[in-house]
Amino acid sequence: MTDAGVTYVVQNNLTGQLDVHTAPGIHYIVPFFSTVTDYKQVITSTFEADEAVIARFADTYVGMIPVTFRFKLPADPEGVRKMHREFRSETNLVKSLLMDAERYTGEEFFQGGLNQFKTQLADQLQNGIYLTERRQVEIEQTDLAPVGLASPDGPGPKLVRAKQLVWKTVPILQDNGVPQRAENPLSQYGIDVTQVLIGDPRPEPNLDRLLMDKKRLVAERIKTVQEQETSKAQANTEQLKKEIERTRAVQDAQRQKELRTIEMQREVDVAKQVAERETIEQRKLQDLAVIQKEKELAIARAELDIQKANASAARFQADAIAAKGRAEAEVLAAKYKAKAQNKEIFLAETQRDMATALYSNLKDFKVEMPQNVIVGAGGADGGGAGRMPSNLDVITSFSALGLMEKAVRSKAAA
């Protein structure tokens, strides 16, 4: 009885005939003389833990590599028969497909060669195995310093860069740089590799200690380098700060010097301006003095001319006045002479003119005599003539006048 997903190879031990059954169903076999071998049509084989693949690397270290393969077996009976004749069982088939890890050193494999190893393994399983050769090559790697090696960092294990000659299995390359391949052992049976998975490899204890020591030392080295870089950066920063401060101080001093120079230049310029202004003022005062003197000289000259003109005018005026006086005197003398000759006519005309003026001015005059006269204590007999009346005289006179006016009003009323 056959199941789905499984290929069965029935071998007749009497005749040696191989029958292949890939579909589920019931088939007839020769009892006691038939052998049935089953192959999963898709095989997934995982090797891990104690069954992990043991790989011995080029530097003699050993590693345990968990691997998972997924194969698709051929479906045609002839390919199945050929595969069965070669491997005889599914277990032998899987074991024959294990990888060869001699092309790597333990350190490079566990420090980054795993991905390249996985890629090359899948490529070879699908396209053919690389043709290889053993070759001694020089590799450079980080290693622990030998015991007793002097180190400027102090005692203890240190890392050094070392070169080492190892025998490695390397691919043979064609002229174009492509690796040469042997015939793919799987393609002749029609087996396809659909997936290759590699788990986390486990190094042997010695390699693990080496890797851990290198990892720790690398971390310490990185930390030390970082601290050194930090200290160097801090020192550079402090140096830069000092340079900046020094530059700032120099700039400040230069600026102060320039400011003092500018201030001194300004003072010099101000002094020059003051001196020039004073010179201009002095020149202006001198010019003004000269102008004033010239003005005074002109005024004096003008006054002199005026005085001369006044003197000439005065002389002319005196001459004119004298001439006028003489003429008037001669006229007056002629008038008086004529009047002396006609005296009676002159007196009659004079009296006539006086009378005309008097009558014309006295026609509206009204002369009233005073009713009362206040005299001094000397009385009206002339004994006190020329003496001013006193206050008592005035008061007494006003009292008498009041009584007299009152008596007059009373009389007029009666």
Side-chain angles (χ1 to χ4, degrees):
M1 181 178 293
T2 58
D3 294 331
V6 180
T7 299
Y8 297 87
V9 177
V10 180
Q11 178 178 338
N12 189 333
N13 294 327
L14 294 177
T15 62
Q17 181 180 353
L18 297 176
D19 296 327
V20 178
H21 303 284
T22 58
I26 297 176
H27 307 275
Y28 297 98
I29 64 174
V30 179
F32 306 108
F33 296 98
S34 298
T35 302
V36 178
T37 304
D38 59 301
Y39 295 90
K40 297 182 181 67
Q41 295 177 358
V42 177
I43 301 174
T44 301
S45 298
T46 302
F47 300 89
E48 58 184 1
D50 295 336
E51 296 182 356
V53 176
I54 299 176
R56 187 173 300 277
F57 302 106
D59 53 358
T60 71
Y61 287 108
V62 176
M64 307 294 290
I65 306 175
V67 182
T68 298
F69 298 98
R70 189 175 180 84
F71 302 98
K72 183 178 182 182
L73 300 185
D76 61 298
E78 189 59 33
V80 174
R81 291 188 185 96
K82 185 177 181 180
M83 180 186 66
H84 179 70
R85 291 189 186 99
E86 182 72 24
F87 299 105
R88 305 299 299 171
S89 68
E90 180 179 313
T91 303
N92 294 335
L93 172 64
V94 172
K95 287 183 179 180
S96 66
L97 299 177
L98 298 182
M99 78 295 295
D100 180 10
E102 290 185 357
R103 291 189 306 275
Y104 299 92
T105 64
E107 183 180 355
E108 67 178 336
F109 182 85
F110 286 96
Q111 292 182 352
L114 179 61
N115 291 331
Q116 184 180 2
F117 176 79
K118 176 183 176 182
T119 302
Q120 292 181 354
L121 176 61
D123 178 64
Q124 293 181 80
L125 290 175
Q126 293 174 357
N127 302 314
I129 302 299
Y130 296 155
L131 293 179
T132 61
E133 62 180 353
R134 295 283 290 177
R135 184 185 302 168
Q136 193 176 30
V137 297
E138 184 182 70
I139 61 172
E140 182 178 356
Q141 62 182 2
T142 304
D143 205 350
L144 295 177
V147 177
L149 181 63
S151 175
D153 297 333
K158 304 298 175 186
L159 289 178
V160 294
R161 301 294 296 179
K163 293 183 179 181
Q164 182 181 2
L165 292 175
V166 296
W167 287 95
K168 296 182 65 174
T169 301
V170 297
I172 300 175
L173 302 179
Q174 302 177 14
D175 294 337
N176 58 0
V178 178
Q180 298 182 14
R181 297 178 185 270
E183 183 182 359
N184 188 352
L186 300 179
S187 62
Q188 60 182 333
Y189 308 112
I191 300 174
D192 294 329
V193 180
T194 59
Q195 191 175 23
V196 177
L197 297 176
I198 297 179
D200 189 13
R202 300 191 308 276
E204 66 169 297
N206 292 333
L207 179 58
D208 187 47
R209 284 194 297 272
L210 175 65
L211 294 176
M212 291 301 295
D213 290 341
K214 289 184 178 181
K215 182 179 180 181
R216 177 177 55 81
L217 292 176
V218 168
E220 292 178 355
R221 180 67 176 173
I222 292 174
K223 181 179 179 181
T224 303
V225 171
Q226 289 178 347
E227 290 177 352
Q228 291 176 353
E229 293 296 330
T230 301
S231 300
K232 187 183 298 183
Q234 291 177 350
N236 291 335
T237 302
E238 293 298 327
Q239 185 67 25
L240 289 175
K241 288 182 179 179
K242 292 180 180 179
E243 290 293 331
I244 293 173
E245 291 177 358
R246 187 180 66 82
T247 304
R248 185 181 293 113
V250 171
Q251 292 177 350
D252 292 341
Q254 185 67 25
R255 188 180 299 108
Q256 293 297 328
K257 182 178 179 180
E258 292 176 354
L259 291 176
R260 288 195 298 271
T261 303
I262 293 172
E263 185 65 25
M264 294 175 62
Q265 185 64 36
R266 184 183 295 111
E267 292 177 357
V268 171
D269 294 339
V270 171
K272 288 182 178 179
Q273 293 177 1
V274 171
E276 291 177 357
R277 186 162 54 247
E278 290 180 354
T279 302
I280 293 173
E281 292 294 333
Q282 292 296 331
R283 188 179 298 114
K284 186 188 296 184
L285 292 176
Q286 293 176 0
D287 294 341
L288 290 176
V290 172
I291 294 172
Q292 183 67 26
K293 294 301 182 180
E294 291 179 352
K295 182 179 179 180
E296 291 178 357
L297 179 60
I299 293 173
R301 288 175 179 174
E303 289 180 352
L304 178 59
D305 294 338
I306 292 172
Q307 292 295 334
K308 290 180 179 180
N310 290 334
S312 298
R315 286 193 298 271
F316 179 77
Q317 187 176 6
D319 293 340
I321 292 172
K324 182 180 179 181
R326 287 193 296 270
E328 291 178 350
E330 293 176 355
V331 171
L332 183 58
K335 286 182 178 180
Y336 284 145
K337 186 177 180 180
K339 289 179 179 179
Q341 294 175 359
N342 301 287
K343 180 178 179 181
E344 291 80 5
I345 297 171
F346 176 70
L347 290 175
E349 290 178 354
T350 301
Q351 291 177 358
R352 183 196 59 195
D353 294 335
M354 290 176 61
T356 301
L358 180 61
Y359 288 126
S360 61
N361 289 306
L362 293 178
K363 61 180 180 178
D364 295 327
F365 267 39
K366 181 179 180 181
V367 179
E368 293 182 356
M369 296 301 292
Q371 297 179 0
N372 303 303
V373 177
I374 297 175
V375 296
D381 56 357
R387 189 178 67 87
M388 291 295 294
S390 64
N391 293 334
L392 181 58
D393 296 336
V394 174
I395 294 172
T396 303
S397 299
F398 282 147
S399 298
L401 290 174
L403 293 174
M404 292 177 63
E405 290 179 356
K406 185 177 181 181
V408 171
R409 286 195 298 270
S410 298
K411 184 178 180 180

